Amino acid sequence: MKAPSPDQSMYTPAWQSLSERKEGARYFEAGYRVRTGDVDQQMRVRLDAVARYLQDVANDNIEVTEFRDTDPFWIVRRTVIDVIRPISWPAGFTAQRWCGALSTRWTNMRVRLTADHETNRFNPEPREPGLIESEAFWINVNDQGMPSRLTDDAFEMLSSMTDEHRLRWKSMNPDKAPSAADVDLPDRVHVLRSTDFDPFKHLNNAAYLEAVEDELIDHPDLVDVPHRAVIEYLRPIVPGTTLTLRRLRDGDRLLIWMLIPDDAGEQQVAATVSVSKLPGSELPA
């Protein structure tokens, strides 16, 4: 007998729009290109490609700041990606990055990607300009990987970009996975490759979203309209780990729990993902 369905109210997201840039505040801007390795079979820039863009922009940003030597180590706790208008190939795009909120040890860094689409023989139709808004919760860490206070100079520069100086962590995804018996979709093992890992032997942030793209193949209605993806990283995934995905489709939202075995072999949540339609994003009839 199938177990009773989980209480769906626990999965209802609390919608909140991303903050706008403070008028007159400093920000970083750089231009990039969409490459064919960034897009899916419909030439849409994939979520994992967006995550790589955000990493590249962050690295480029810190290299031109005053604290590249004093505050060089950061880890991402959460990334929010709002695909307002999809970006596709071919295109050039501009990234603007600024601090949307901070505390003494972490920041919400906003990145806005705006694309001017081009045409070629493979994608000859004109497309409207692309727009992706994102926000990442970055934790400043020391060379041992432990949360660390920002230096005074870094805090002064970042705090000038925002009036929110008391940022607190609050999860946006349900972090407790339902039992396998309580969901309709069977668990799926996602095979990890050696190229998915960074020099610190942690699964690269973008590689998590490659697994999500595999799932979205079966949920095209979520990505055919403006949508939000939220990934929260809870535990590191190291080489040799078996990664299992538990999936739940709840109305206009897909939830994914990425499970890894603990020392006793019991499944624990390493990351949570939600992909949902943005409010008012239904396709016209």
Side-chain angles (χ1 to χ4, degrees), residues 13-272:
W15 172 256
Q16 184 175 353
S17 60
L18 302 183
S19 62
E20 285 296 325
R21 187 170 67 236
K22 180 180 176 181
E23 185 175 356
R26 174 179 176 176
Y27 64 93
F28 172 76
E29 180 174 295
Y32 301 88
R33 294 287 302 172
V34 174
R35 307 297 182 181
T36 53
D38 301 333
V39 299
D40 65 9
Q41 297 170 48
Q42 285 71 48
M43 303 189 191
R44 171 187 64 89
V45 168
R46 303 186 310 268
L47 292 174
D48 60 289
V50 174
R52 282 191 293 273
Y53 295 161
L54 299 180
Q55 291 177 154
D56 291 345
V57 174
N59 289 333
D60 293 346
N61 186 185
I62 199 169
E63 282 299 312
V64 298
T65 64
E66 299 88 337
F67 58 94
R68 62 182 179 183
D69 296 321
T70 60
D71 300 74
F73 304 119
W74 298 79
I75 59 173
V76 177
R77 182 73 166 80
R78 172 175 58 223
T79 302
V80 181
I81 300 172
D82 284 356
V83 181
I84 311 299
R85 295 188 301 272
I87 297 175
S88 57
W89 175 80
F93 66 92
T94 299
Q96 295 179 340
R97 187 174 191 259
W98 68 92
C99 180
L102 82 162
S103 189
T104 56
R105 287 177 169 82
W106 43 72
T107 70
N108 267 345
M109 296 302 296
R110 286 274 283 110
V111 177
R112 173 174 295 146
L113 306 179
T114 54
D116 293 320
H117 287 127
E118 303 158 7
T119 59
N120 61 16
R121 60 183 298 182
F122 304 104
N123 200 358
E125 297 300 323
R127 289 102 65 207
E128 62 180 338
L131 173 62
I132 295 177
E133 301 277 9
S134 72
E135 180 177 86
F137 192 102
W138 289 85
I139 301 176
N140 187 45
V141 297
N142 59 25
D143 55 6
Q144 303 300 311
M146 298 300 295
S148 179
R149 291 181 64 91
L150 280 73
T151 59
D152 290 344
D153 288 344
F155 185 87
E156 180 180 359
M157 190 195 80
L158 292 170
S159 63
S160 70
M161 302 179 188
T162 175
D163 295 326
E164 177 51 69
H165 299 168
R166 298 180 62 85
L167 175 65
R168 297 290 183 267
W169 170 262
K170 183 179 181 181
S171 180
M172 296 175 66
N173 290 337
D175 56 8
K176 183 177 180 180
S179 70
D182 286 345
V183 296
D184 293 328
L185 298 171
D187 286 354
R188 178 178 73 81
V189 173
H190 179 76
V191 178
L192 299 174
R193 306 159 300 177
S194 62
T195 53
D196 292 331
F197 293 89
D198 63 23
F200 305 102
K201 297 185 178 180
H202 289 166
L203 190 65
N204 185 276
N205 294 335
Y208 290 79
L209 290 170
E210 291 177 359
V212 175
E213 285 287 342
D214 279 348
E215 293 301 319
L216 291 174
I217 291 292
D218 296 325
H219 304 272
D221 62 303
L222 294 180
V223 293
D224 286 344
V225 297
H227 55 280
R228 166 174 287 185
V230 179
I231 180 166
E232 296 183 341
Y233 304 96
L234 306 181
R235 293 178 176 87
I237 300 176
V238 299
T241 301
T242 298
L243 177 62
T244 302
L245 306 186
R246 184 159 297 163
R247 294 82 50 79
L248 172 67
R249 179 63 190 259
D250 176 31
D252 288 339
R253 194 183 195 208
L254 174 67
L255 291 165
I256 302 172
W257 292 266
M258 297 186 171
L259 308 175
I260 59 175
D262 61 17
D263 292 339
E266 298 294 324
Q267 296 280 40
Q268 59 182 345
V269 179
T272 62

